[in-house]
Amino acid sequence: MKARWHSVSSTREYETCPRRYRFGYVERRPKDRPVPPHWRFGTVVHAGLEAAWKGVMAEPDAPLADHLPAALAAAAASVEAEGLGAEDGARAERILTAALAADVVRGRDHGADDGPAAALPPRPIGVEEALRGWAGGDHDRVIGFADLVLEHADGTVELVDHKVTSKRLGPDDLRDDFQLNLYGHLASKRWRDAPRIVATIHYPTGPEAVSVELGAEGMRAADRRVRAAVRAIAADGEFAAVPSEACTHCPWQPSCPEGTAWDGGA
């Protein structure tokens, strides 16, 4: 039997509405609604950052800004692929130019031990890195993709998530974040000798970043949450709709009777 893959997104979909999970992960039904333009713009900036950090992986001693040409080329290709316009391309260029020059991710102090090692910048060990683990049964696996993984001189592993949004999360939000804690759990199993797992949200539009050390209990709770969803999915033979406010943003709402009937609870 082939492996069944689960993720943060699939878990959230099932928890929100089992029918949404069925449409997206069982039937793999095409979405009725296009991806919003701001999501597509985020994809463009991600493409540029990914190209730049892959350049650092190949040339670890070179400044991040040295890889701006590759970042801009990747962003330009993504603008075309996403069907966006010249204005979006120019905005992405401004964001990437500032973000690569600032390199706020490697410039942050995460409390490493004092001494010569503390002054060494963390080195990238993964870009769009797949983190995998077991999610319950013999064939149930969990997977997530970290935008960037850094290793610090003291062995600390840092997981970086790039977010192109105006909303800013604080340290308390990060400590409780499901995605970051699940990725932290998977990272702790992969890099077992790491003394700490740090999570960072990088806002290239700042550019700015906020970081926290993930706790063992939060990471275990994220793992339990995925496993609970896996058990519920295995036992679910109906995948019934659960109408809620989430219907208004559901990509399959136009073809779902319960979704189109949602009236806000009036």
Side-chain angles (χ1 to χ4, degrees):
M1 181 181 294
K2 294 178 61 176
R4 295 183 292 261
W5 290 98
H6 305 270
S7 65
V8 168
S9 296
S10 67
T11 298
R12 285 175 172 159
E13 288 284 62
Y14 186 81
E15 292 172 342
T16 299
C17 175
R19 181 167 294 170
R20 281 179 65 157
Y21 175 87
R22 188 186 82 193
F23 285 166
Y25 292 92
V26 179
E27 298 178 3
R28 300 191 180 278
R29 179 183 297 198
K31 296 177 180 179
D32 296 331
R33 293 171 168 170
V35 175
H38 65 278
W39 286 14
R40 286 182 277 150
F41 181 75
T43 298
V44 169
V45 177
H46 270 75
L49 292 170
E50 179 182 345
W53 281 106
K54 283 182 175 178
V56 176
M57 289 274 288
E59 300 179 75
D61 294 330
L64 182 61
D66 283 6
H67 302 287
L68 180 60
L72 296 183
S78 184
V79 165
E80 182 175 355
E82 295 296 332
L84 298 177
E87 185 176 340
D88 293 304
R91 182 183 171 212
E93 181 174 341
R94 291 193 299 271
I95 290 171
L96 288 167
T97 300
L100 268 59
D103 194 3
V104 296
V105 171
R106 290 191 295 183
R108 295 179 61 79
D109 177 12
H110 300 304
D113 295 337
D114 293 334
L120 297 174
R123 65 183 184 93
I125 57 175
V127 179
E128 283 298 310
E129 187 72 11
L131 304 173
R132 301 179 177 89
W134 293 104
D138 293 340
H139 303 285
D140 291 300
R141 305 292 301 274
V142 61
I143 190 169
F145 291 88
D147 290 341
L148 174 65
V149 184
L150 300 173
E151 183 180 50
H152 290 252
D154 68 348
T156 292
V157 170
E158 180 181 0
L159 308 174
V160 181
D161 186 23
H162 308 302
K163 285 196 178 297
V164 185
T165 175
S166 59
K167 182 180 179 180
R168 298 295 192 259
L169 300 178
D172 289 341
D173 299 310
L174 268 62
R175 289 189 186 94
D176 296 332
D177 185 81
F178 173 38
Q179 176 177 315
L180 293 178
N181 276 288
L182 181 62
Y183 287 11
H185 171 76
L186 296 174
S188 71
K189 299 301 181 184
R190 179 166 171 182
W191 291 283
R192 294 182 180 274
D193 294 332
R196 300 185 307 155
I197 303 293
V198 168
T200 294
I201 299 293
H202 171 225
Y203 299 103
T205 53
E208 57 191 287
V210 57
S211 302
V212 296
E213 180 178 351
L214 297 177
E217 179 49 40
M219 292 189 285
R220 285 194 293 266
D223 179 53
R224 290 194 297 267
R225 181 172 168 182
V226 173
R227 289 172 181 267
V230 168
R231 291 193 297 271
I233 290 167
D236 196 336
E238 184 178 358
F239 295 100
V242 179
S244 72
E245 186 178 355
C247 291
T248 60
H249 305 291
C250 176
W252 297 282
Q253 186 258 7
S255 62
C256 176
E258 287 82 355
T260 54
W262 168 250
D263 60 3

